[in-house]
């Protein structure tokens, strides 16, 4: 996949320390793989209308194109990752799709509609979050927004909760063929302490939320920017951000930008309240 930030596993002797084994790297800087499409590794196929808040995002630039996911948070705003919008000149948004090429609606937005977090840091993956201002869409059973958590939830770690991730990311580390159908899976949120044992405390800050990825089930390249939703409440709690450079099937935790850390930023830049 063209875009998903990956990190190396920390050395066993330093796994609970500040740094991971190597610095993070964007797959856009790695050799090009045969396809920019795929799905969550070893996930389940979504049914039509199951995730009406999920959008597909096809970014373009002078140097190429890449695929990400995003979440509808208002009829004219989509939330995604900063590493998705970074360097892009435009994006085509696919609404209401299960099969990505069979969207109910598409819109193309130029980079002037991107609100990328001003303090995004691609080296340590800090503030990996962006907004996209879109022409207004009418909500239907296939196209609808996902609710944001309340400010009172900011102190919740969500550790132990079940959350659903969805997207069109790779279906395995070895995948080369196109898989065009939306995938999803249930995951368990882990504590940041557990996550920092892999990635170090420089990467795992309070603005990150992580999930366990047992049985080779994980988010993967192409799922970038997509939603992590708390299953019991259907609230958006994460924006897909990174996995281990050891691979999506490695069993290492997967990381997300923690939405509760950015509620004020979202409201001040979009007017969408929580």
């Amino acid at each position: 996949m063209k875009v998903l930030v990956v990190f190396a596993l920390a050395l066993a002797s330093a796994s609970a320390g500040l740094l991971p084994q190597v610095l993070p790297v964007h797959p856009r800087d790695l050799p090009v793989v045969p396809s920019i499409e795929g799905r969550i590794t070893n996930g389940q196929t979504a049914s039509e209308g199951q995730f009406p808040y999920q959008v597909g995002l096809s970014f373009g630039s002078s140097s190429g194109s890449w695929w990400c996911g995003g979440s509808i948070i208002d009829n004219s705003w989509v939330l995604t990752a900063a590493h998705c919008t970074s360097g892009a000149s435009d994006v085509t948004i696919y609404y209401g799709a299960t099969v990505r090429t069979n969207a109910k609606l598409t819109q193309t937005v130029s980079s002037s509609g991107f609100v990328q977090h001003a303090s995004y840091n691609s080296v340590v993956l800090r503030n990996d979050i962006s907004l996209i201002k879109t022409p207004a869409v009418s909500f239907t059973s296939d196209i609808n927004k996902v609710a944001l958590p309340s400010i009172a939830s900011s102190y919740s770690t969500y550790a132990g909760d079940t959350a659903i991730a969805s997207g069109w990311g790779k279906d395995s580390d070895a995948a080369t063929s196109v898989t065009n159908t939306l995938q999803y899976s249930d995951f368990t949120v882990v504590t940041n302490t557990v996550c920092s044992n892999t990635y170090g405390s420089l990467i795992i800050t309070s603005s990150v939320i992580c999930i366990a990825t047992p049985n080779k089930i994980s988010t993967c390249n192409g799922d970038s920017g997509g939603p992590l939703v708390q299953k019991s409440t259907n609230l958006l709690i994460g924006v897909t951000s990174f996995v281990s450079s050891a691979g999506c099937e490695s069993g290492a935790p997967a990381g997300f930008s923690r939405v509760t850390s950015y509620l004020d930023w979202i409201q001040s830049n979009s007017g969408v309240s929580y």
Side-chain angles (χ1 to χ4, degrees):
M1 309 312 303
K2 272 294 236 183
V3 176
L4 180 65
V5 170
V6 296
F7 290 114
L9 288 170
L11 289 171
S13 61
S15 62
L18 185 67
L19 295 169
Q21 182 179 0
V22 298
L23 291 175
V25 59
H26 287 285
R28 287 166 61 187
D29 298 324
L30 299 175
V32 176
V33 295
S35 167
I36 63 163
E37 299 171 53
R39 58 184 179 180
I40 287 190
T41 56
N42 304 299
Q44 304 174 65
T45 299
S47 58
E48 190 163 340
Q50 186 174 0
F51 301 105
Y53 51 80
Q54 170 89 50
V55 294
L57 302 173
S58 179
F59 288 93
S61 75
S62 58
S63 58
S65 60
W66 55 92
W67 180 261
C68 282
S71 302
I72 302 168
I73 60 169
D74 184 75
N75 65 0
S76 57
W77 289 98
V78 165
L79 190 67
T80 189
H83 76 267
C84 290
T85 57
S86 181
S89 57
D90 59 70
V91 62
T92 298
I93 306 168
Y94 294 77
Y95 294 89
T98 303
V99 175
R100 184 186 63 81
T101 53
N102 192 28
K104 299 294 191 296
L105 172 70
T106 61
Q107 294 181 339
T108 299
V109 175
S110 73
S111 58
S112 62
F114 301 168
V115 184
Q116 184 171 298
H117 199 291
S119 298
Y120 167 56
N121 185 316
S122 62
V123 176
V124 293
L125 203 62
R126 201 68 46 81
N127 301 310
D128 188 17
I129 194 164
S130 282
L131 287 157
I132 301 173
K133 180 72 165 68
T134 72
V137 297
S138 298
F139 290 152
T140 68
S141 59
D142 296 308
I143 304 171
N144 212 327
K145 68 179 180 179
V146 61
L148 300 176
S150 68
I151 193 67
S153 301
S154 296
Y155 300 102
S156 175
T157 65
Y158 300 105
D161 287 1
T162 300
I164 304 172
S166 52
W168 287 270
K170 284 173 56 177
D171 66 350
S172 72
D173 287 328
T176 58
S177 60
V178 172
T179 302
N180 211 25
T181 307
L182 184 63
Q183 301 288 299
Y184 74 97
S185 192
D186 290 356
F187 298 94
T188 300
V189 177
V190 298
T191 65
N192 279 18
T193 299
V194 167
C195 203
S196 65
N197 287 339
T198 296
Y199 299 111
S201 58
L202 182 64
I203 304 301
I204 307 304
T205 66
S206 61
S207 61
V208 172
I209 186 170
C210 297
I211 58 171
T213 65
N215 304 316
K216 298 184 177 182
I217 301 173
S218 179
T219 50
C220 202
N221 305 70
D223 293 320
S224 288
L228 181 71
V229 171
Q230 186 182 31
K231 191 171 185 179
S232 61
T233 62
N234 290 319
L235 296 174
L236 182 67
I237 61 173
V239 175
T240 305
S241 185
F242 63 87
V243 294
S244 168
S245 63
C248 305
E249 298 179 279
S250 69
F256 301 74
S257 296
R258 186 182 291 268
V259 171
T260 52
S261 296
Y262 297 99
L263 292 172
D264 288 342
W265 179 85
I266 291 169
Q267 184 174 32
S268 63
N269 285 281
S270 68
V272 177
S273 59
Y274 41 82

